[in-house]
Amino acid sequence: MRNQQVLLASRPEGMPQPSNFKIVESDIARPQPGQFLVQTHYLSVDPYMRGRMRDVKSYADPVAIGEVMVGGTVGKVIESQHARYRPDDLVVGSWGWQSYAVTDGKECYRLPPSEAPLSTALGVRGMPGLTAYFGLLEIGKPQPGETVFVTAAAGAVGSLVGQIAKIHGCRVVGSAGSDAKVAHLIDDLGFDVAFNYRQSSDVAAELYECCPTGIDLFFDNVGGALSDAAFAQINQSARVVICGQIDQYNADSPPQGPRLLWHLIVKRARVQGFLVFDFVDRYRHALEQIDQWMREGKVQYRETVVDGLENAPNAFIGLFRGENLGKQLVRLI
Ligand code: NAP
Ligand code: FER
């Protein structure tokens, strides 16, 4: 048994490249008292990791060159010298892009027995699902009858935002990067209307057609031109939830766009960013609610799974090309 790890080899300029990563093999360490050895079943690739590849501290420290890439993981305990973990326990954590890890269990939790597949702990029942839940309900505060517009709507966060907004009686509009994604939003997830922003020569006109009475709640995962179009179409007392700005994550200098903040004056609107981690005390309740919606058939999810640790870099890069439908995962075993 050898450990395989994906290390950050160099910091990307613009779009990340496979050459920014390096795969190495090493012996598996043995757990010491207070530690356990875990085998990775799935690892998550997420847009925020682009930020961790930059040499800039923000919410968290950057990944150092030569260090294992960060990220959420689920796996099984193989060997334990930890009082609270036993072999065969299923564990959710963030030991990063590697096939095995020795951990002291900080930042880990044991998965309670559940009908849901293990992988969902990284998606609909994990960080992205919680992001949709708290971002929409706590920051966006949707009201019945309101028009909600969500970008990257066919992704892990966006797909859940749209469905939760439907549960709350809203009219839901989404944008996504392919006709197949648009069809999925409308036919499978119950969005009222959606459009393919990549096929559009005039996203503002297309958005206006989708939101003839304006936008009351804009849940932004993307930024850039789509955001500009949405800001110009907000209604009085609109809420703009800044969840992500993936359009800008590969930019090497801040892009200069149209200055649209004056819309906020006229519309008495509020723009607020948030981090899912701010709501950690309330995760349990939110996950119970998401589970219930899934049991009732009100929420469904998709996963795009690639096999093999060596494919983690390309799976990550694929996020910026829209190659994923729903949550992008890497399966190791
Ligand atoms: P995701 O939506 O599953 O995957 C990213 C998607 O973004 C891609 O599938 C792609 O879909 C779209 N995209 C990529 N580049 C784009 C561009 N230049 N313009 C428009 N769309 C683009 O990822 P996720 O994990 O659910 O995250 C979604 C957003 O939420 C990200 O911005 C992320 O940073 C943010 N987020 C924030 C928090 C928080 O705590 N604030 C937590 C989790 C995630 P298309 O085919 O539609 O282009
Ligand atoms: C995300 C985008 C940004 C995210 C977190 C951040 C958890 C925070 C980044 C930082 O610490 O700089 O999608 O998801």
Side-chain angles (χ1 to χ4, degrees):
M1 278 194 336
R2 300 266 287 170
N3 193 15
Q4 276 201 324
Q5 301 177 310
V6 180
L7 311 182
L8 179 64
S10 57
R11 300 200 183 279
E13 285 169 23
M15 182 73 126
Q17 305 295 327
S19 60
N20 298 129
F21 304 92
K22 184 177 158 192
I23 299 182
V24 296
E25 271 199 17
S26 58
D27 288 330
I28 296 173
R30 304 294 300 273
Q32 302 302 308
Q35 298 181 324
F36 60 89
L37 172 68
V38 63
Q39 181 175 19
T40 312
H41 286 221
Y42 289 90
L43 66 87
S44 176
V45 291
D46 296 77
Y48 77 84
M49 294 168 184
R50 181 62 180 82
R52 297 288 188 89
M53 299 173 83
R54 270 177 218 284
D55 196 12
V56 177
K57 180 173 165 57
S58 61
Y59 182 85
D61 287 329
V63 180
I65 300 293
E67 224 171 48
V68 178
M69 274 297 292
V70 289
T73 42
V74 293
K76 193 184 269 187
V77 176
I78 301 290
E79 189 182 330
S80 180
Q81 297 232 45
H82 191 290
R84 286 189 290 112
Y85 290 91
R86 291 283 155 266
D88 291 336
D89 281 352
L90 295 174
V91 181
V92 185
S94 48
W95 53 85
W97 298 11
Q98 52 186 334
S99 47
Y100 292 89
V102 170
T103 167
D104 58 13
K106 288 194 188 110
E107 295 184 50
C108 289
Y109 65 94
R110 199 189 353 254
L111 255 190
S114 159
E115 315 232 310
L118 190 58
S119 56
T120 58
L122 298 175
V124 64
R125 307 171 79 246
M127 190 276 282
L130 293 161
T131 300
Y133 182 94
F134 289 111
L136 181 72
L137 297 181
E138 294 300 323
I139 312 294
K141 299 194 192 308
Q143 303 301 315
E146 286 190 331
T147 295
V148 174
F149 172 50
V150 54
T151 49
V157 173
S159 58
L160 205 61
V161 168
Q163 293 177 88
I164 299 174
K166 281 309 297 178
I167 291 168
H168 284 77
C170 299
R171 181 169 180 279
V172 177
V173 179
S175 63
S178 76
D179 291 345
K181 289 184 180 185
V182 166
H184 166 65
L185 295 176
I186 296 168
D187 298 341
D188 303 326
L189 302 189
F191 280 56
D192 293 279
V193 51
F195 66 96
N196 177 352
Y197 72 91
R198 282 186 205 267
Q199 281 294 309
S200 176
S201 54
D202 185 346
V203 288
E206 189 123 26
L207 184 61
Y208 183 76
E209 265 184 45
C210 293
C211 307
T213 58
I215 298 167
D216 301 299
L217 197 169
F218 170 34
F219 193 103
D220 194 12
N221 287 317
V222 168
L226 272 168
S227 271
D228 296 342
F231 264 79
Q233 297 184 35
I234 55 173
N235 287 336
Q236 176 114 345
S237 304
R239 285 80 62 210
V240 177
V241 180
I242 305 298
C243 175
Q245 298 280 285
I246 195 169
D247 182 61
Q248 290 161 41
Y249 293 175
N250 292 320
D252 287 318
S253 54
Q256 197 156 342
R259 303 276 159 79
L260 295 171
L261 298 183
W262 61 272
H263 288 291
L264 306 181
I265 304 171
V266 187
K267 298 294 163 52
R268 289 84 153 176
R270 179 163 61 78
V271 182
Q272 188 175 339
F274 76 102
L275 272 175
V276 61
F277 314 118
D278 299 339
F279 297 93
V280 65
D281 295 344
R282 297 163 59 192
Y283 282 1
R284 181 192 294 262
H285 171 76
L287 291 174
E288 281 168 9
Q289 179 61 263
I290 291 169
D291 270 342
Q292 189 186 329
W293 285 330
M294 286 204 289
R295 281 194 303 272
E296 294 169 353
K298 291 179 179 165
V299 159
Q300 34 168 305
Y301 67 94
R302 294 292 188 278
E303 295 173 340
T304 302
V305 181
V306 304
D307 283 299
L309 183 74
E310 68 281 7
N311 292 316
N314 278 325
F316 168 68
I317 293 165
L319 294 171
F320 301 98
R321 300 203 180 109
E323 287 169 8
N324 59 305
L325 179 69
K327 175 64 198 155
Q328 179 67 57
L329 296 164
V330 180
R331 179 166 49 205
L332 275 67
I333 61 166

XYZ file of all heavy atoms in Angstrom, residues 69-152:
631
model
N -2.733 19.424 -2.413
C -3.882 20.299 -2.689
C -4.951 20.103 -1.622
O -5.254 18.973 -1.230
C -4.479 19.978 -4.057
C -3.804 20.693 -5.208
S -3.960 22.507 -5.136
C -5.701 22.745 -5.434
N -5.552 21.206 -1.204
C -6.601 21.163 -0.186
C -7.906 20.638 -0.779
O -8.077 20.641 -1.997
C -6.911 22.571 0.365
C -5.780 23.068 1.215
C -7.269 23.530 -0.754
N -8.805 20.256 0.091
C -10.141 19.981 -0.394
C -10.906 18.992 0.454
O -10.323 18.193 1.208
N -12.201 19.035 0.305
C -13.109 18.161 1.037
C -12.976 16.720 0.561
O -12.735 16.461 -0.624
N -13.144 15.797 1.499
C -12.932 14.369 1.233
C -13.917 13.539 2.042
O -14.370 13.963 3.115
C -11.503 13.972 1.669
O -11.222 14.609 2.928
C -10.454 14.381 0.647
N -14.226 12.349 1.534
C -14.911 11.350 2.347
C -14.145 10.030 2.204
O -13.582 9.749 1.149
C -16.394 11.131 1.952
C -17.226 12.355 2.251
C -16.543 10.728 0.507
N -14.130 9.264 3.273
C -13.389 8.006 3.213
C -13.700 7.111 4.386
O -14.639 7.377 5.162
N -12.924 6.050 4.482
C -13.166 5.035 5.504
C -11.929 4.883 6.380
O -10.800 4.857 5.874
C -13.489 3.705 4.822
C -14.066 2.667 5.755
C -14.277 1.348 5.045
C -15.658 1.232 4.443
N -15.914 -0.112 3.903
N -12.172 4.757 7.681
C -11.063 4.562 8.621
C -10.485 3.154 8.427
O -11.230 2.170 8.382
C -11.535 4.754 10.078
C -10.406 4.452 11.060
C -12.076 6.167 10.284
N -9.159 3.095 8.279
C -8.472 1.826 8.053
C -7.854 1.321 9.348
O -7.865 0.137 9.645
C -7.343 2.019 7.005
C -7.920 2.521 5.685
C -6.523 0.749 6.809
C -8.740 1.502 4.958
N -7.295 2.238 10.114
C -6.567 1.882 11.333
C -6.680 3.076 12.276
O -6.578 4.211 11.812
C -5.094 1.642 10.946
C -4.243 1.058 12.036
C -2.784 0.899 11.552
O -2.571 0.690 10.333
O -1.896 1.016 12.391
N -6.928 2.803 13.556
C -7.161 3.943 14.446
C -6.447 3.806 15.776
O -6.430 2.741 16.390
C -8.668 4.107 14.709
O -8.890 5.200 15.567
N -5.855 4.936 16.179
C -5.377 5.092 17.554
C -6.081 6.307 18.164
O -5.540 6.973 19.032
C -3.869 5.342 17.546
C -3.064 4.204 16.991
C -1.973 3.806 17.967
O -2.225 3.680 19.181
N -0.766 3.637 17.459
N -7.265 6.558 17.649
C -8.042 7.721 18.078
C -9.225 7.219 18.896
O -9.889 6.256 18.499
C -8.538 8.480 16.845
C -9.123 9.835 17.146
N -10.316 9.992 17.805
C -8.658 11.074 16.866
C -10.565 11.294 17.923
N -9.567 11.963 17.366
N -9.493 7.895 20.017
C -10.525 7.405 20.933
C -11.905 7.368 20.274
O -12.737 6.526 20.617
C -10.567 8.306 22.180
N -12.181 8.283 19.333
C -13.552 8.407 18.810
C -13.745 7.791 17.420
O -14.830 7.868 16.872
C -13.970 9.881 18.817
C -14.272 10.384 20.232
C -14.897 11.770 20.253
N -13.944 12.792 19.849
C -14.016 13.490 18.725
N -15.004 13.284 17.864
N -13.116 14.406 18.448
N -12.711 7.224 16.836
C -12.868 6.632 15.498
C -12.417 5.177 15.504
O -11.416 4.825 16.137
C -12.076 7.429 14.453
C -12.685 8.781 14.188
C -12.290 9.902 14.929
C -13.674 8.946 13.231
C -12.865 11.144 14.709
C -14.258 10.182 12.994
C -13.849 11.278 13.744
O -14.422 12.509 13.523
N -13.188 4.341 14.810
C -12.941 2.900 14.716
C -12.751 2.517 13.263
O -13.341 3.164 12.384
C -14.157 2.118 15.270
C -14.373 2.222 16.758
C -13.376 1.319 17.515
N -13.148 1.811 18.849
C -12.130 2.627 19.200
N -11.258 3.031 18.308
N -11.979 3.023 20.435
N -12.022 1.441 12.985
C -11.936 0.964 11.611
C -13.336 0.775 11.014
O -14.266 0.373 11.722
C -11.202 -0.372 11.740
C -10.336 -0.186 12.951
C -11.159 0.656 13.898
N -13.456 1.097 9.744
C -14.704 1.024 8.961
C -15.638 2.215 9.176
O -16.661 2.311 8.484
C -15.478 -0.290 9.204
C -14.744 -1.487 8.622
O -13.945 -1.277 7.677
O -14.946 -2.606 9.118
N -15.325 3.098 10.117
C -16.127 4.327 10.220
C -16.017 5.113 8.911
O -14.920 5.211 8.344
C -15.603 5.244 11.345
C -16.046 4.788 12.723
O -16.872 3.862 12.807
O -15.557 5.374 13.713
N -17.128 5.678 8.485
C -17.115 6.579 7.321
C -16.946 8.008 7.830
O -17.662 8.439 8.749
C -18.414 6.440 6.524
C -18.613 5.059 5.884
C -19.985 4.955 5.230
C -17.510 4.765 4.870
N -15.997 8.716 7.231
C -15.589 10.007 7.764
C -15.608 11.055 6.656
O -15.195 10.782 5.529
C -14.156 9.915 8.341
C -13.725 11.249 8.927
C -14.075 8.833 9.393
N -16.104 12.240 7.005
C -16.026 13.392 6.111
C -14.964 14.321 6.663
O -14.925 14.551 7.882
C -17.374 14.149 6.050
C -17.307 15.261 5.015
C -18.511 13.199 5.747
N -14.109 14.835 5.814
C -13.058 15.732 6.298
C -12.508 16.572 5.176
O -13.182 16.804 4.167
N -11.295 17.031 5.372
C -10.663 17.839 4.321
C -9.177 17.552 4.344
O -8.377 18.432 4.611
C -10.965 19.318 4.527
O -10.723 19.688 5.856
N -8.847 16.283 4.056
C -7.430 15.911 4.052
C -6.815 16.053 2.652
O -5.658 15.735 2.450
C -7.212 14.512 4.651
C -8.048 13.409 4.050
C -7.753 12.693 2.944
C -9.281 12.874 4.558
N -8.737 11.759 2.708
C -9.681 11.847 3.685
C -10.094 13.171 5.660
C -10.856 11.108 3.873
C -11.259 12.438 5.839
C -11.629 11.423 4.953
N -7.606 16.545 1.690
C -7.037 16.955 0.405
C -6.882 15.845 -0.612
O -7.406 14.742 -0.456
N -6.147 16.164 -1.670
C -6.066 15.297 -2.845
C -5.025 14.206 -2.628
O -3.910 14.268 -3.150
C -5.711 16.110 -4.087
C -6.699 17.167 -4.474
C -7.764 17.634 -3.747
C -6.698 17.912 -5.691
N -8.421 18.611 -4.441
C -7.784 18.806 -5.645
C -5.885 17.928 -6.825
C -8.083 19.700 -6.670
C -6.174 18.817 -7.859
C -7.261 19.673 -7.772
N -5.392 13.179 -1.876
C -4.487 12.053 -1.649
C -5.305 10.808 -1.332
O -6.445 10.893 -0.883
C -3.488 12.353 -0.533
C -4.106 12.834 0.772
C -3.043 13.248 1.789
O -1.915 12.766 1.746
N -3.414 14.137 2.699
N -4.703 9.658 -1.594
C -5.471 8.417 -1.470
C -5.569 7.941 -0.021
O -6.514 7.220 0.319
C -4.909 7.330 -2.385
O -3.524 7.239 -2.269
N -4.613 8.291 0.808
C -4.665 7.969 2.241
C -4.203 9.190 3.015
O -3.436 10.007 2.487
C -3.708 6.818 2.591
C -4.097 5.480 2.012
C -3.654 5.103 0.743
C -4.886 4.586 2.733
C -3.998 3.879 0.202
C -5.236 3.354 2.199
C -4.788 3.003 0.933
O -5.139 1.792 0.400
N -4.631 9.277 4.269
C -4.117 10.346 5.124
C -4.153 9.894 6.574
O -5.035 9.125 6.970
C -4.946 11.614 4.957
N -3.194 10.373 7.328
C -3.229 10.209 8.779
C -3.689 11.535 9.350
O -3.159 12.590 8.990
C -1.836 9.827 9.330
C -1.828 9.904 10.848
C -1.461 8.428 8.862
N -4.700 11.470 10.196
C -5.277 12.723 10.701
C -5.586 12.598 12.195
O -5.780 11.492 12.704
C -6.569 13.101 9.919
O -7.267 14.135 10.623
C -7.492 11.911 9.741
N -5.631 13.747 12.843
C -6.012 13.756 14.265
C -7.527 13.951 14.412
O -8.033 14.073 15.526
C -5.257 14.851 15.023
C -5.505 16.235 14.451
O -6.447 16.399 13.634
O -4.755 17.167 14.816
N -8.241 14.010 13.270
C -9.700 14.090 13.333
C -10.244 15.492 13.490
O -11.459 15.686 13.427
N -9.363 16.493 13.674
C -9.866 17.878 13.682
C -10.405 18.149 12.279
O -9.837 17.715 11.287
C -8.738 18.864 14.003
C -8.308 18.801 15.451
C -7.443 20.015 15.843
C -6.878 19.815 17.237
N -5.429 19.580 17.239
N -11.462 18.879 12.179
C -12.108 19.173 10.888
C -12.765 17.940 10.270
O -13.108 17.955 9.097
C -11.132 19.774 9.869
C -10.596 21.129 10.262
C -9.723 21.725 9.172
O -10.154 21.759 8.014
O -8.609 22.144 9.490
N -12.871 16.838 11.020
C -13.551 15.645 10.491
C -14.852 15.437 11.265
O -14.990 15.894 12.394
C -12.706 14.392 10.691
S -11.256 14.315 9.628
N -15.785 14.748 10.639
C -16.923 14.228 11.398
C -17.308 12.871 10.848
O -17.062 12.569 9.679
C -18.105 15.204 11.406
C -18.777 15.480 10.091
C -19.897 14.737 9.700
C -18.327 16.485 9.246
C -20.528 14.986 8.494
C -18.947 16.746 8.035
C -20.053 15.998 7.661
O -20.673 16.246 6.465
N -17.860 12.036 11.744
C -18.282 10.709 11.330
C -19.639 10.813 10.651
O -20.531 11.505 11.138
C -18.368 9.785 12.548
C -18.337 8.324 12.167
C -18.646 7.382 13.318
N -18.752 8.032 14.594
C -17.839 7.970 15.551
N -16.747 7.280 15.380
N -18.023 8.588 16.686
N -19.789 10.144 9.509
C -21.064 10.186 8.793
C -22.062 9.303 9.503
O -21.822 8.107 9.671
C -20.878 9.647 7.379
C -20.854 10.608 6.218
C -20.906 9.832 4.920
C -21.976 11.624 6.277
N -23.199 9.839 9.899
C -24.225 8.984 10.477
C -24.755 8.029 9.403
O -24.712 8.374 8.226
C -25.306 9.959 10.923
C -24.995 11.254 10.304
C -23.593 11.234 9.793
N -25.230 6.828 9.801
C -25.782 5.907 8.811
C -26.890 6.615 8.039
O -27.681 7.356 8.626
C -26.371 4.776 9.656
C -25.780 4.929 11.003
C -25.380 6.355 11.169
N -26.924 6.412 6.734
C -27.886 7.134 5.906
C -28.134 6.350 4.636
O -27.304 5.572 4.199
C -27.327 8.517 5.572
O -27.962 9.036 4.438
N -29.301 6.576 4.063
C -29.621 5.950 2.789
C -28.882 6.647 1.654
O -28.722 6.083 0.582
C -31.117 6.063 2.534
C -31.947 5.718 3.740
C -33.002 4.683 3.445
O -33.728 4.877 2.461
O -33.060 3.685 4.196
N -28.473 7.879 1.894
C -27.868 8.655 0.817
C -26.458 8.140 0.535
O -25.731 7.763 1.452
C -27.819 10.123 1.207
N -26.052 8.128 -0.724
C -24.696 7.693 -1.056
C -23.636 8.572 -0.379
O -23.863 9.772 -0.155
C -24.630 7.841 -2.576
C -26.038 7.939 -3.049
C -26.836 8.482 -1.908
N -22.505 7.953 -0.104
C -21.377 8.634 0.537
C -21.007 9.951 -0.158
O -20.722 10.964 0.483
C -20.195 7.650 0.471
C -18.932 7.926 1.239
C -19.243 8.062 2.719
C -17.920 6.806 1.007
N -21.021 9.922 -1.490
C -20.581 11.081 -2.271
C -21.391 12.337 -1.964
O -20.888 13.455 -2.100
C -20.695 10.761 -3.761
O -22.032 10.376 -4.054
N -22.648 12.160 -1.544
C -23.499 13.339 -1.344
C -23.013 14.214 -0.191
O -23.384 15.383 -0.106
C -24.974 12.952 -1.090
O -25.040 12.092 0.062
C -25.574 12.250 -2.299
N -22.164 13.641 0.674
C -21.630 14.439 1.786
C -20.701 15.542 1.294
O -20.346 16.452 2.051
C -20.893 13.541 2.774
N -20.300 15.467 0.023
C -19.464 16.528 -0.552
C -20.280 17.448 -1.457
O -19.738 18.408 -2.005
C -18.304 15.912 -1.351
C -17.328 15.066 -0.538
C -16.287 14.417 -1.455
C -16.631 15.906 0.536
N -21.557 17.139 -1.636
C -22.363 17.912 -2.575
C -23.640 18.401 -1.945
O -23.643 19.285 -1.096
N -24.732 17.777 -2.336
C -26.042 18.260 -1.908
C -26.195 18.208 -0.386
O -26.872 19.052 0.206
C -27.160 17.459 -2.622
C -27.152 15.985 -2.231
C -28.534 18.064 -2.368
N -25.525 17.229 0.267
C -25.585 17.138 1.722
C -24.272 17.604 2.348
O -23.903 17.163 3.440
C -25.885 15.698 2.145
C -27.118 15.123 1.471
C -27.291 13.649 1.726
N -27.855 13.392 3.026
C -27.206 12.778 4.013
N -25.988 12.351 3.828
N -27.800 12.580 5.156
N -23.574 18.466 1.657
C -22.287 18.962 2.152
C -22.132 20.451 1.909
O -23.123 21.187 1.827
N -20.898 20.879 1.775
C -20.600 22.315 1.693
C -21.402 23.045 0.606
O -22.011 24.090 0.899
C -19.072 22.477 1.522
C -18.569 23.886 1.651
S -18.684 24.821 0.137
C -17.279 24.209 -0.787
N -21.474 22.513 -0.630
C -22.231 23.270 -1.636
C -23.730 23.357 -1.319
O -24.355 24.404 -1.522
C -21.987 22.482 -2.935
C -20.730 21.716 -2.689
C -20.749 21.372 -1.227
N -24.301 22.268 -0.811
C -25.714 22.283 -0.445
C -25.984 23.300 0.651
O -26.970 24.049 0.602
N -25.095 23.348 1.641
C -25.250 24.298 2.742
C -25.091 25.738 2.253
O -25.760 26.653 2.744
C -24.226 23.986 3.837
C -24.462 22.654 4.554
C -23.205 22.190 5.274
C -25.639 22.778 5.535
N -24.223 25.918 1.288
C -24.020 27.249 0.702
C -25.311 27.737 0.046
O -25.730 28.887 0.234
C -22.892 27.187 -0.346
O -21.691 26.750 0.289
C -22.664 28.533 -0.999
N -25.935 26.842 -0.715
C -27.200 27.213 -1.367
C -28.251 27.535 -0.318
O -28.966 28.543 -0.406
C -27.669 26.062 -2.261
N -28.349 26.687 0.690
C -29.385 26.818 1.716
C -29.249 28.155 2.449
O -30.202 28.948 2.515
C -29.283 25.644 2.695
C -30.317 25.637 3.784
C -31.503 24.927 3.644
C -30.111 26.340 4.974
C -32.457 24.919 4.650
C -31.055 26.340 5.974
C -32.232 25.626 5.813
O -33.170 25.637 6.814
N -28.067 28.413 3.012
C -27.909 29.616 3.834
C -27.819 30.879 2.973
O -28.350 31.927 3.337
C -26.696 29.493 4.757
C -26.917 28.496 5.859
C -26.223 27.299 5.874
C -27.842 28.747 6.861
C -26.437 26.365 6.884
C -28.069 27.817 7.879
C -27.363 26.622 7.882
N -27.148 30.769 1.845
C -27.034 31.944 0.979
C -28.393 32.408 0.504
O -28.711 33.601 0.534
N -29.201 31.460 0.083
C -30.534 31.844 -0.417
C -31.437 32.293 0.723
O -32.020 33.380 0.689
C -31.184 30.676 -1.166
C -32.569 31.039 -1.716
C -32.457 31.991 -2.901
C -33.372 29.808 -2.092
N -31.555 31.436 1.760
C -32.594 31.699 2.770
C -32.187 32.788 3.756
O -33.024 33.616 4.128
C -32.945 30.402 3.505
C -33.541 29.298 2.621
C -33.874 28.072 3.445
C -34.783 29.795 1.879
N -30.923 32.797 4.173
C -30.515 33.758 5.212
C -30.065 35.092 4.633
O -30.316 36.138 5.233
C -29.392 33.165 6.065
C -29.834 31.962 6.879
C -30.966 32.306 7.857
O -30.952 33.411 8.426
O -31.861 31.460 8.023
N -29.384 35.057 3.497
C -28.906 36.315 2.920
C -29.948 36.854 1.928
O -30.257 38.037 1.915
C -27.538 36.129 2.212
C -26.552 35.357 3.118
C -26.954 37.482 1.791
C -26.118 36.070 4.369
N -30.497 35.945 1.107
C -31.422 36.395 0.053
C -32.850 36.612 0.531
O -33.571 37.436 -0.003
N -33.262 35.856 1.557
C -34.621 35.962 2.108
C -35.701 36.015 1.021
O -36.386 37.042 0.836
C -34.734 37.177 3.033
C -33.793 37.095 4.239
C -34.172 38.115 5.281
C -33.135 38.299 6.366
N -32.676 37.090 7.027
N -35.889 34.915 0.292
C -36.881 34.894 -0.792
C -38.312 34.947 -0.257
O -38.613 34.346 0.775
C -36.620 33.543 -1.479
C -36.021 32.679 -0.412
C -35.219 33.602 0.467
N -39.150 35.669 -0.962
C -40.573 35.766 -0.606
C -41.407 35.145 -1.724
O -41.020 35.225 -2.895
C -40.985 37.234 -0.432
C -40.170 37.987 0.612
C -40.273 37.357 1.997
O -41.361 37.006 2.453
N -39.127 37.199 2.667
N -42.557 34.544 -1.379
C -43.397 33.938 -2.411
C -43.731 34.949 -3.505
O -43.989 36.121 -3.212
C -44.674 33.531 -1.654
C -44.270 33.451 -0.218
C -43.139 34.424 -0.030
N -43.696 34.472 -4.738
C -44.053 35.322 -5.864
C -42.898 36.139 -6.424
O -43.023 36.733 -7.493
N -41.774 36.182 -5.695
C -40.647 36.964 -6.193
C -39.936 36.237 -7.344
O -39.964 35.008 -7.440
C -39.641 37.212 -5.061
C -40.132 38.240 -4.055
C -39.064 38.681 -3.073
O -38.146 37.884 -2.759
O -39.149 39.815 -2.608
N -39.256 37.013 -8.160
C -38.418 36.451 -9.221
C -36.987 36.334 -8.710
O -36.389 37.329 -8.272
C -38.446 37.336 -10.480
O -39.773 37.320 -11.012
C -37.476 36.804 -11.531
N -36.481 35.101 -8.761
C -35.102 34.815 -8.344
C -34.301 34.458 -9.590
O -34.716 33.602 -10.374
C -35.075 33.625 -7.358
C -33.643 33.218 -7.034
C -35.833 33.974 -6.081
N -33.168 35.122 -9.766
C -32.266 34.773 -10.879
C -30.975 34.205 -10.297
O -30.352 34.827 -9.444
C -31.973 36.007 -11.736
C -30.912 35.770 -12.785
C -30.985 34.667 -13.645
C -29.827 36.643 -12.920
C -29.999 34.438 -14.610
C -28.850 36.424 -13.888
C -28.930 35.315 -14.725
N -30.594 33.000 -10.751
C -29.359 32.366 -10.263
C -28.464 32.023 -11.450
O -28.932 31.474 -12.451
C -29.661 31.130 -9.376
C -30.566 30.120 -10.055
C -28.370 30.453 -8.912
N -27.180 32.366 -11.316
C -26.188 32.064 -12.358
C -25.449 30.767 -11.997
O -25.463 30.342 -10.838
C -25.192 33.231 -12.513
O -24.701 33.609 -11.222
C -25.860 34.439 -13.157
N -24.789 30.166 -12.982
C -24.203 28.816 -12.832
C -25.272 27.896 -12.222
O -25.024 27.138 -11.281
C -22.928 28.826 -11.984
